[in-house]
mmCIF file of all heavy atoms in Angstrom:
data_model
loop_
_atom_site.group_PDB
_atom_site.id
_atom_site.type_symbol
_atom_site.label_atom_id
_atom_site.label_comp_id
_atom_site.label_asym_id
_atom_site.label_seq_id
_atom_site.Cartn_x
_atom_site.Cartn_y
_atom_site.Cartn_z
ATOM 1 N N GLY A 28 100.064 101.952 113.547
ATOM 2 C CA GLY A 28 100.057 100.878 112.565
ATOM 3 C C GLY A 28 99.764 99.546 113.217
ATOM 4 O O GLY A 28 99.528 98.548 112.550
ATOM 5 N N SER A 29 99.755 99.524 114.533
ATOM 6 C CA SER A 29 99.446 98.299 115.275
ATOM 7 C C SER A 29 97.957 98.014 115.194
ATOM 8 O O SER A 29 97.149 98.932 115.084
ATOM 9 C CB SER A 29 99.815 98.450 116.749
ATOM 10 O OG SER A 29 101.166 98.779 116.893
ATOM 11 N N THR A 30 97.616 96.756 115.288
ATOM 12 C CA THR A 30 96.211 96.402 115.372
ATOM 13 C C THR A 30 95.716 96.833 116.745
ATOM 14 O O THR A 30 96.273 96.417 117.762
ATOM 15 C CB THR A 30 96.018 94.878 115.212
ATOM 16 O OG1 THR A 30 96.620 94.488 113.984
ATOM 17 C CG2 THR A 30 94.560 94.512 115.227
ATOM 18 N N PRO A 31 94.701 97.710 116.764
ATOM 19 C CA PRO A 31 94.266 98.197 118.074
ATOM 20 C C PRO A 31 93.579 97.092 118.874
ATOM 21 O O PRO A 31 92.830 96.299 118.323
ATOM 22 C CB PRO A 31 93.280 99.309 117.733
ATOM 23 C CG PRO A 31 92.782 98.983 116.377
ATOM 24 C CD PRO A 31 93.910 98.259 115.685
ATOM 25 N N ASP A 32 93.902 97.042 120.132
ATOM 26 C CA ASP A 32 93.208 96.121 121.016
ATOM 27 C C ASP A 32 92.742 96.924 122.232
ATOM 28 O O ASP A 32 93.090 98.086 122.383
ATOM 29 C CB ASP A 32 94.100 94.937 121.414
ATOM 30 C CG ASP A 32 95.392 95.372 122.087
ATOM 31 O OD1 ASP A 32 95.395 96.402 122.805
ATOM 32 O OD2 ASP A 32 96.407 94.692 121.914
ATOM 33 N N ARG A 33 91.947 96.299 123.043
ATOM 34 C CA ARG A 33 91.400 97.007 124.191
ATOM 35 C C ARG A 33 92.507 97.562 125.085
ATOM 36 O O ARG A 33 92.405 98.653 125.612
ATOM 37 C CB ARG A 33 90.478 96.091 124.988
ATOM 38 C CG ARG A 33 89.795 96.832 126.111
ATOM 39 C CD ARG A 33 88.665 96.120 126.765
ATOM 40 N NE ARG A 33 87.338 96.107 126.246
ATOM 41 C CZ ARG A 33 86.664 97.098 125.667
ATOM 42 N NH1 ARG A 33 87.266 98.225 125.425
ATOM 43 N NH2 ARG A 33 85.418 96.977 125.324
ATOM 44 N N GLY A 34 93.592 96.816 125.241
ATOM 45 C CA GLY A 34 94.698 97.278 126.072
ATOM 46 C C GLY A 34 95.309 98.571 125.556
ATOM 47 O O GLY A 34 95.578 99.492 126.328
ATOM 48 N N LEU A 35 95.521 98.643 124.243
ATOM 49 C CA LEU A 35 96.099 99.850 123.647
ATOM 50 C C LEU A 35 95.130 101.021 123.772
ATOM 51 O O LEU A 35 95.524 102.134 124.106
ATOM 52 C CB LEU A 35 96.462 99.610 122.177
ATOM 53 C CG LEU A 35 97.062 100.812 121.444
ATOM 54 C CD1 LEU A 35 98.343 101.287 122.115
ATOM 55 C CD2 LEU A 35 97.324 100.466 119.987
ATOM 56 N N GLU A 36 93.858 100.770 123.519
ATOM 57 C CA GLU A 36 92.855 101.835 123.633
ATOM 58 C C GLU A 36 92.761 102.340 125.068
ATOM 59 O O GLU A 36 92.700 103.552 125.295
ATOM 60 C CB GLU A 36 91.492 101.340 123.146
ATOM 61 C CG GLU A 36 91.451 101.140 121.643
ATOM 62 C CD GLU A 36 90.088 100.703 121.140
ATOM 63 O OE1 GLU A 36 89.070 101.143 121.714
ATOM 64 O OE2 GLU A 36 90.050 99.914 120.188
ATOM 65 N N GLU A 37 92.771 101.422 126.032
ATOM 66 C CA GLU A 37 92.712 101.828 127.443
ATOM 67 C C GLU A 37 93.949 102.624 127.836
ATOM 68 O O GLU A 37 93.850 103.624 128.542
ATOM 69 C CB GLU A 37 92.546 100.608 128.343
ATOM 70 C CG GLU A 37 91.164 99.994 128.268
ATOM 71 C CD GLU A 37 91.024 98.707 129.073
ATOM 72 O OE1 GLU A 37 92.012 98.285 129.718
ATOM 73 O OE2 GLU A 37 89.931 98.117 129.046
ATOM 74 N N LEU A 38 95.122 102.183 127.378
ATOM 75 C CA LEU A 38 96.357 102.903 127.679
ATOM 76 C C LEU A 38 96.326 104.299 127.059
ATOM 77 O O LEU A 38 96.707 105.272 127.706
ATOM 78 C CB LEU A 38 97.573 102.116 127.167
ATOM 79 C CG LEU A 38 98.931 102.766 127.403
ATOM 80 C CD1 LEU A 38 99.189 102.991 128.894
ATOM 81 C CD2 LEU A 38 100.044 101.915 126.795
ATOM 82 N N ALA A 39 95.858 104.388 125.826
ATOM 83 C CA ALA A 39 95.785 105.690 125.156
ATOM 84 C C ALA A 39 94.910 106.662 125.946
ATOM 85 O O ALA A 39 95.301 107.812 126.187
ATOM 86 C CB ALA A 39 95.251 105.511 123.732
ATOM 87 N N VAL A 40 93.753 106.201 126.368
ATOM 88 C CA VAL A 40 92.844 107.052 127.141
ATOM 89 C C VAL A 40 93.460 107.390 128.504
ATOM 90 O O VAL A 40 93.402 108.533 128.960
ATOM 91 C CB VAL A 40 91.459 106.386 127.291
ATOM 92 C CG1 VAL A 40 90.579 107.145 128.275
ATOM 93 C CG2 VAL A 40 90.779 106.290 125.929
ATOM 94 N N GLN A 41 94.076 106.407 129.129
ATOM 95 C CA GLN A 41 94.732 106.621 130.427
ATOM 96 C C GLN A 41 95.829 107.680 130.309
ATOM 97 O O GLN A 41 96.024 108.488 131.212
ATOM 98 C CB GLN A 41 95.327 105.296 130.909
ATOM 99 C CG GLN A 41 96.008 105.357 132.244
ATOM 100 C CD GLN A 41 96.587 103.994 132.637
ATOM 101 O OE1 GLN A 41 96.164 102.956 132.155
ATOM 102 N NE2 GLN A 41 97.569 104.015 133.496
ATOM 103 N N GLU A 42 96.529 107.683 129.175
ATOM 104 C CA GLU A 42 97.623 108.643 128.971
ATOM 105 C C GLU A 42 97.123 110.010 128.506
ATOM 106 O O GLU A 42 97.902 110.935 128.345
ATOM 107 C CB GLU A 42 98.635 108.088 127.957
ATOM 108 C CG GLU A 42 99.401 106.879 128.469
ATOM 109 C CD GLU A 42 100.300 107.189 129.647
ATOM 110 O OE1 GLU A 42 100.876 108.295 129.715
ATOM 111 O OE2 GLU A 42 100.438 106.319 130.526
ATOM 112 N N GLY A 43 95.821 110.111 128.237
ATOM 113 C CA GLY A 43 95.257 111.412 127.889
ATOM 114 C C GLY A 43 94.795 111.577 126.458
ATOM 115 O O GLY A 43 94.376 112.675 126.064
ATOM 116 N N ALA A 44 94.858 110.528 125.642
ATOM 117 C CA ALA A 44 94.357 110.619 124.268
ATOM 118 C C ALA A 44 92.842 110.431 124.277
ATOM 119 O O ALA A 44 92.278 109.904 125.241
ATOM 120 C CB ALA A 44 95.012 109.554 123.392
ATOM 121 N N ILE A 45 92.183 110.848 123.212
ATOM 122 C CA ILE A 45 90.729 110.706 123.142
ATOM 123 C C ILE A 45 90.297 109.571 122.225
ATOM 124 O O ILE A 45 89.112 109.276 122.124
ATOM 125 C CB ILE A 45 90.053 112.024 122.711
ATOM 126 C CG1 ILE A 45 90.532 112.462 121.329
ATOM 127 C CG2 ILE A 45 90.272 113.101 123.756
ATOM 128 C CD1 ILE A 45 89.747 113.610 120.741
ATOM 129 N N GLY A 46 91.257 108.938 121.547
ATOM 130 C CA GLY A 46 90.913 107.832 120.677
ATOM 131 C C GLY A 46 92.090 107.367 119.852
ATOM 132 O O GLY A 46 93.208 107.859 120.014
ATOM 133 N N ILE A 47 91.804 106.418 118.964
ATOM 134 C CA ILE A 47 92.839 105.807 118.127
ATOM 135 C C ILE A 47 92.349 105.759 116.686
ATOM 136 O O ILE A 47 91.175 105.471 116.429
ATOM 137 C CB ILE A 47 93.157 104.379 118.603
ATOM 138 C CG1 ILE A 47 93.809 104.402 119.975
ATOM 139 C CG2 ILE A 47 94.056 103.649 117.614
ATOM 140 C CD1 ILE A 47 94.104 103.040 120.551
ATOM 141 N N ILE A 48 93.250 106.034 115.762
ATOM 142 C CA ILE A 48 93.031 105.823 114.331
ATOM 143 C C ILE A 48 94.117 104.857 113.875
ATOM 144 O O ILE A 48 95.284 105.044 114.209
ATOM 145 C CB ILE A 48 93.122 107.137 113.538
ATOM 146 C CG1 ILE A 48 91.993 108.091 113.933
ATOM 147 C CG2 ILE A 48 93.085 106.861 112.035
ATOM 148 C CD1 ILE A 48 92.066 109.457 113.277
ATOM 149 N N THR A 49 93.729 103.823 113.132
ATOM 150 C CA THR A 49 94.718 102.845 112.678
ATOM 151 C C THR A 49 95.166 103.123 111.252
ATOM 152 O O THR A 49 94.401 103.626 110.425
ATOM 153 C CB THR A 49 94.169 101.409 112.766
ATOM 154 O OG1 THR A 49 92.961 101.332 112.026
ATOM 155 C CG2 THR A 49 93.918 101.007 114.192
ATOM 156 N N LYS A 50 96.445 102.807 111.003
ATOM 157 C CA LYS A 50 97.014 102.876 109.655
ATOM 158 C C LYS A 50 96.864 101.501 109.007
ATOM 159 O O LYS A 50 96.946 100.509 109.725
ATOM 160 C CB LYS A 50 98.509 103.221 109.715
ATOM 161 C CG LYS A 50 98.823 104.600 110.200
ATOM 162 C CD LYS A 50 100.327 104.769 110.198
ATOM 163 C CE LYS A 50 100.769 106.105 110.726
ATOM 164 N NZ LYS A 50 102.225 106.246 110.755
ATOM 165 N N PRO A 51 96.717 101.399 107.727
ATOM 166 C CA PRO A 51 96.573 102.540 106.816
ATOM 167 C C PRO A 51 95.243 103.245 107.066
ATOM 168 O O PRO A 51 94.246 102.622 107.389
ATOM 169 C CB PRO A 51 96.618 101.909 105.429
ATOM 170 C CG PRO A 51 96.222 100.487 105.632
ATOM 171 C CD PRO A 51 96.637 100.115 107.018
ATOM 172 N N ILE A 52 95.269 104.552 106.896
ATOM 173 C CA ILE A 52 94.096 105.370 107.163
ATOM 174 C C ILE A 52 93.162 105.329 105.958
ATOM 175 O O ILE A 52 93.582 105.611 104.845
ATOM 176 C CB ILE A 52 94.521 106.826 107.474
ATOM 177 C CG1 ILE A 52 95.372 106.853 108.740
ATOM 178 C CG2 ILE A 52 93.309 107.731 107.607
ATOM 179 C CD1 ILE A 52 96.024 108.185 109.022
ATOM 180 N N SER A 53 91.936 104.973 106.203
ATOM 181 C CA SER A 53 90.920 104.989 105.148
ATOM 182 C C SER A 53 90.467 106.428 104.948
ATOM 183 O O SER A 53 89.869 107.029 105.844
ATOM 184 C CB SER A 53 89.736 104.112 105.541
ATOM 185 O OG SER A 53 88.644 104.383 104.686
ATOM 186 N N ILE A 54 90.752 106.987 103.782
ATOM 187 C CA ILE A 54 90.402 108.370 103.489
ATOM 188 C C ILE A 54 88.895 108.589 103.614
ATOM 189 O O ILE A 54 88.445 109.619 104.105
ATOM 190 C CB ILE A 54 90.916 108.768 102.081
ATOM 191 C CG1 ILE A 54 92.452 108.812 102.082
ATOM 192 C CG2 ILE A 54 90.354 110.098 101.635
ATOM 193 C CD1 ILE A 54 93.074 109.820 103.016
ATOM 194 N N ASP A 55 88.098 107.606 103.170
ATOM 195 C CA ASP A 55 86.640 107.744 103.240
ATOM 196 C C ASP A 55 86.139 107.858 104.677
ATOM 197 O O ASP A 55 85.126 108.504 104.926
ATOM 198 C CB ASP A 55 85.949 106.549 102.568
ATOM 199 C CG ASP A 55 86.190 106.506 101.071
ATOM 200 O OD1 ASP A 55 86.481 107.576 100.491
ATOM 201 O OD2 ASP A 55 86.097 105.419 100.490
ATOM 202 N N GLU A 56 86.838 107.218 105.607
ATOM 203 C CA GLU A 56 86.412 107.222 107.008
ATOM 204 C C GLU A 56 87.072 108.326 107.824
ATOM 205 O O GLU A 56 86.620 108.632 108.931
ATOM 206 C CB GLU A 56 86.744 105.876 107.648
ATOM 207 C CG GLU A 56 86.002 104.708 107.049
ATOM 208 C CD GLU A 56 86.449 103.367 107.617
ATOM 209 O OE1 GLU A 56 87.215 103.350 108.612
ATOM 210 O OE2 GLU A 56 86.044 102.336 107.070
ATOM 211 N N LEU A 57 88.137 108.930 107.287
ATOM 212 C CA LEU A 57 88.937 109.853 108.088
ATOM 213 C C LEU A 57 88.184 111.114 108.501
ATOM 214 O O LEU A 57 88.163 111.461 109.671
ATOM 215 C CB LEU A 57 90.228 110.223 107.341
ATOM 216 C CG LEU A 57 91.170 111.129 108.125
ATOM 217 C CD1 LEU A 57 91.605 110.464 109.426
ATOM 218 C CD2 LEU A 57 92.374 111.482 107.277
ATOM 219 N N VAL A 58 87.573 111.800 107.560
ATOM 220 C CA VAL A 58 86.903 113.061 107.903
ATOM 221 C C VAL A 58 85.774 112.836 108.907
ATOM 222 O O VAL A 58 85.699 113.566 109.904
ATOM 223 C CB VAL A 58 86.432 113.812 106.637
ATOM 224 C CG1 VAL A 58 85.565 115.009 107.008
ATOM 225 C CG2 VAL A 58 87.641 114.265 105.823
ATOM 226 N N PRO A 59 84.908 111.817 108.713
ATOM 227 C CA PRO A 59 83.885 111.583 109.750
ATOM 228 C C PRO A 59 84.491 111.279 111.123
ATOM 229 O O PRO A 59 83.966 111.731 112.147
ATOM 230 C CB PRO A 59 83.091 110.384 109.214
ATOM 231 C CG PRO A 59 83.304 110.415 107.739
ATOM 232 C CD PRO A 59 84.677 110.965 107.538
ATOM 233 N N LYS A 60 85.599 110.528 111.153
ATOM 234 C CA LYS A 60 86.254 110.240 112.439
ATOM 235 C C LYS A 60 86.769 111.521 113.077
ATOM 236 O O LYS A 60 86.593 111.749 114.269
ATOM 237 C CB LYS A 60 87.418 109.264 112.256
ATOM 238 C CG LYS A 60 86.986 107.830 112.113
ATOM 239 C CD LYS A 60 88.192 106.910 112.054
ATOM 240 C CE LYS A 60 87.751 105.466 111.912
ATOM 241 N NZ LYS A 60 88.870 104.533 111.898
ATOM 242 N N ILE A 61 87.408 112.368 112.270
ATOM 243 C CA ILE A 61 87.940 113.625 112.789
ATOM 244 C C ILE A 61 86.795 114.488 113.333
ATOM 245 O O ILE A 61 86.905 115.061 114.419
ATOM 246 C CB ILE A 61 88.743 114.377 111.705
ATOM 247 C CG1 ILE A 61 90.064 113.651 111.444
ATOM 248 C CG2 ILE A 61 89.016 115.827 112.130
ATOM 249 C CD1 ILE A 61 90.853 114.194 110.268
ATOM 250 N N GLN A 62 85.701 114.555 112.582
ATOM 251 C CA GLN A 62 84.544 115.358 113.035
ATOM 252 C C GLN A 62 84.022 114.822 114.371
ATOM 253 O O GLN A 62 83.693 115.599 115.269
ATOM 254 C CB GLN A 62 83.420 115.331 111.986
ATOM 255 C CG GLN A 62 83.779 116.013 110.691
ATOM 256 C CD GLN A 62 83.920 117.528 110.801
ATOM 257 O OE1 GLN A 62 83.812 118.105 111.870
ATOM 258 N NE2 GLN A 62 84.205 118.161 109.686
ATOM 259 N N THR A 63 83.963 113.501 114.509
ATOM 260 C CA THR A 63 83.496 112.897 115.764
ATOM 261 C C THR A 63 84.426 113.277 116.914
ATOM 262 O O THR A 63 83.969 113.672 117.998
ATOM 263 C CB THR A 63 83.425 111.362 115.624
ATOM 264 O OG1 THR A 63 82.481 111.039 114.608
ATOM 265 C CG2 THR A 63 83.006 110.711 116.939
ATOM 266 N N PHE A 64 85.752 113.183 116.687
ATOM 267 C CA PHE A 64 86.712 113.544 117.733
ATOM 268 C C PHE A 64 86.604 115.034 118.082
ATOM 269 O O PHE A 64 86.697 115.417 119.251
ATOM 270 C CB PHE A 64 88.135 113.219 117.307
ATOM 271 C CG PHE A 64 88.432 111.737 117.290
ATOM 272 C CD1 PHE A 64 88.977 111.137 116.160
ATOM 273 C CD2 PHE A 64 88.174 110.927 118.380
ATOM 274 C CE1 PHE A 64 89.260 109.773 116.136
ATOM 275 C CE2 PHE A 64 88.444 109.577 118.379
ATOM 276 C CZ PHE A 64 88.988 108.994 117.241
ATOM 277 N N LEU A 65 86.399 115.886 117.084
ATOM 278 C CA LEU A 65 86.276 117.322 117.334
ATOM 279 C C LEU A 65 85.022 117.653 118.132
ATOM 280 O O LEU A 65 85.000 118.618 118.895
ATOM 281 C CB LEU A 65 86.284 118.104 116.017
ATOM 282 C CG LEU A 65 87.629 118.186 115.312
ATOM 283 C CD1 LEU A 65 87.455 118.705 113.886
ATOM 284 C CD2 LEU A 65 88.610 119.054 116.086
ATOM 285 N N GLN A 66 83.979 116.846 117.957
ATOM 286 C CA GLN A 66 82.716 117.077 118.664
ATOM 287 C C GLN A 66 82.701 116.427 120.044
ATOM 288 O O GLN A 66 81.683 116.438 120.734
ATOM 289 C CB GLN A 66 81.547 116.570 117.813
ATOM 290 C CG GLN A 66 81.372 117.363 116.548
ATOM 291 C CD GLN A 66 80.449 116.675 115.541
ATOM 292 O OE1 GLN A 66 79.865 115.637 115.820
ATOM 293 N NE2 GLN A 66 80.353 117.254 114.357
ATOM 294 N N GLY A 67 83.814 115.805 120.407
ATOM 295 C CA GLY A 67 83.920 115.227 121.748
ATOM 296 C C GLY A 67 83.704 113.738 121.831
ATOM 297 O O GLY A 67 83.757 113.172 122.913
#
């Protein structure tokens, strides 16, 4: 729910995540984002 910034994104990747999705989640954007994450 935090506003993503470069520091948070870098920490997420450093800790082993592949990306960030912010809340509230836009339903229209969610499936394309998930597909992108699934494809690497």
Side-chain angles (χ1 to χ4, degrees):
S29 303
T30 304
D32 57 33
R33 185 167 277 321
L35 179 59
E36 289 182 34
E37 288 175 1
L38 179 60
V40 171
Q41 181 181 338
E42 292 295 325
I45 60 170
I47 293 177
I48 295 175
T49 56
K50 292 180 182 178
I52 297 171
S53 166
I54 292 298
D55 293 336
E56 296 175 9
L57 183 60
V58 172
K60 281 185 180 182
I61 288 172
Q62 294 291 3
T63 298
F64 288 128
L65 287 167
Q66 294 166 5

